[in-house]
Amino acid sequence: MRITMIGTGYVGLVSGVCFSDFGHDVICVDKDQSKIEMLERGEVPIYEPGLDTLMAKNVAAGRLTFTQDLKAAVDGADAVFIAVGTPTRRGDGHADLTYVYAAAEEIAHAITGYTVVVTKSTVPLGTNRKVQEVIEKARPGLDFDVASNPEFLREGAAIDDFMRPDRVVVGAETERAAEVMSEIYRPLFLRDFPIITTDLESAEMIKYAANAFLATKITFINEIAALCERTGADVKQVSKGIGLDNRIGNKFLHAGPGYGGSCFPKDTKALARIGQEHAIPMQITETVIKVNEEMKRRMISKITDLCGGSVNGLTVAVLGVTFKPNTDDMRDAPALTIVPALVGSGATVRVSDPQGRHEGQALLPGVEWIEDAYAAAADADAVILLTEWNEFRGLDLERLAQAMRTARMIDLRNIYSHEDATRAGFAAYASIGRRDAEDAA
């Protein structure tokens, strides 16, 4: 199959590379000349484990190319995927569909034969029908179909998610479009991965409903963690106890400082807005959004409490600022709430993150970036574990404590324990939702 991917952001690039590894001929299109030049040099503009190797393999095989020329890329394509950004629109919380509709109009003028135009971007209900209207208006009588194919990729594990998905969702309302999509995903079908074909609106809703549900699960356990601290319960034991129930499952039950990233914040806000527009308030989702922001602010109080009520004049080492490990993504990361609050309260903040500096330097002004965790903690008054990178899971706690001026640890990912910290020489330790969190404070 000949596939054109419009947009080389996270979703577009990962999808394009993986489709080419299926054996399809893929052209990735982007208007950003510097990004295309970077890709043509074999450089990947995002951090995703294994993506550079897979990209190089398929470029060498002649199945994957990059261009700014959308018209040439669309000419003769069996399917054109729209994978442009849909950021939250300022003022109303809705997804901004400007780039989607602009891409649809450009595609309309470039199509030369029957083509399936596939929306890969996360879009509100009704968007695919609007995409169809945009194309029909631009070129009446054009032979094409529109399909919806939402992505379910976890940053840091995107290639595995694409190659071994829980399910593939396709919204297609003509047999012809369904056949094209079936052929595209044939390698997965042959390996018995579930492929669900629905109407357009159902496909759009599945994406939002899935992300809102997972965000709800995270926020629920974070609220339970707060209650555990007050009652003496241990959230890790509670999570294990409820996660063993097959109806609940053990994923997304790890207490932390709140969710962030490219999907959950944006998609929960968009779903809440869709509900308002249809007079069906998404009350659970709206509450999840509110509680998640409160959780991030609660972390600031936890840090301040462990530091004796104020961080003014103290040096604080923050380990990890990306929203999760194995990504360089800083979008809506808890660090963007916590770190500026520490700087604003008079703390000297040192940051160490394996991949966060590229984006973080612009987003976190006033901090010092240090490559090594132990160097960041040298003569510090507190160390905060904010992102659970593997290198922070195996720290020499004794070495860390000895390097600090005042050995205090705020473990916002529950990597260690009060016993671990005390044995290593920490004078104070706080975590989330465990008995030691309150005792240490």
Side-chain angles (χ1 to χ4, degrees), residues 218-228 235 287 291 294-295:
I218 292 170
T219 305
F220 175 81
I221 201 62
N222 285 341
E223 274 203 320
I224 292 296
L227 186 57
C228 285
V235 75
T287 301
V291 172
E294 291 172 353
M295 286 297 163

Side-chain angles (χ1 to χ4, degrees), residues 45-320:
I46 59 173
Y47 178 74
E48 178 62 37
L51 185 59
D52 53 350
T53 303
L54 197 64
M55 187 177 88
K57 168 191 168 185
N58 286 285
V59 168
R63 292 189 296 264
L64 179 65
T65 56
F66 307 97
T67 185
Q68 285 183 272
D69 190 345
L70 183 145
K71 187 176 180 62
V74 170
D75 184 8
D78 296 295
V80 179
F81 284 76
I82 298 175
V84 297
T86 55
T88 300
R89 197 163 61 197
R90 287 190 178 186
D92 63 5
H94 212 309
D96 187 343
L97 301 174
T98 304
Y99 304 117
V100 172
Y101 295 144
E105 186 164 355
E106 284 193 62
I107 291 166
H109 292 295
I111 289 175
T112 55
Y114 175 74
T115 308
V116 180
V117 180
V118 189
T119 306
K120 196 74 174 164
S121 305
T122 300
V123 295
L125 274 74
T127 302
N128 280 279
R129 296 201 186 279
K130 178 64 176 176
V131 165
Q132 186 163 351
E133 291 174 11
V134 168
I135 295 173
E136 287 174 344
K137 182 178 179 182
R139 284 184 68 188
L142 196 63
D143 190 16
F144 77 102
D145 279 311
V146 168
S148 176
N149 181 213
E151 55 82 22
F152 301 95
L153 306 178
R154 295 170 299 160
E155 294 189 38
I159 293 172
D160 192 60
D161 284 349
F162 199 101
M163 299 297 193
R164 300 174 183 83
D166 293 329
R167 77 292 199 197
V168 173
V169 175
V170 173
E173 297 188 334
T174 71
E175 191 172 321
R176 200 176 180 190
E179 286 176 357
V180 169
M181 296 303 293
S182 178
E183 188 61 29
I184 288 171
Y185 282 106
R186 182 176 173 77
L188 297 182
F189 177 78
L190 292 174
R191 291 157 59 204
D192 292 326
F193 289 104
I195 298 177
I196 302 168
T197 302
T198 73
D199 57 85
L200 295 173
E201 285 78 11
S202 294
E204 292 165 340
M205 180 63 87
I206 287 168
K207 170 66 174 181
Y208 280 113
N211 279 352
F213 189 88
L214 295 174
T216 301
K217 203 172 179 183
I218 292 170
T219 305
F220 175 81
I221 201 62
N222 285 341
E223 274 203 320
I224 292 296
L227 186 57
C228 285
E229 290 179 17
R230 293 292 181 92
T231 59
D234 185 327
V235 75
K236 293 193 83 170
Q237 295 180 27
V238 173
S239 295
K240 185 175 182 179
I242 65 175
L244 289 171
D245 187 325
N246 289 330
R247 297 168 299 175
I248 297 172
N250 61 6
K251 294 182 179 179
F252 290 85
L253 285 179
H254 301 288
Y259 63 75
S262 61
C263 293
F264 289 177
K266 174 175 68 71
D267 292 351
T268 50
K269 290 174 185 174
L271 182 59
R273 183 62 181 171
I274 292 166
Q276 292 165 8
E277 289 182 346
H278 290 83
I280 305 292
M282 297 289 99
Q283 296 180 64
I284 293 175
T285 302
E286 290 174 359
T287 301
V288 164
I289 295 167
K290 174 177 175 289
V291 172
N292 188 61
E293 291 306 310
E294 291 172 353
M295 286 297 163
K296 294 177 185 178
R297 292 191 292 271
R298 179 174 171 266
M299 299 303 109
I300 300 167
S301 298
K302 182 179 284 290
I303 295 164
T304 303
D305 289 346
L306 197 77
C307 292
S310 174
V311 295
N312 186 35
L314 302 185
T315 298
V316 178
V318 176
L319 305 186

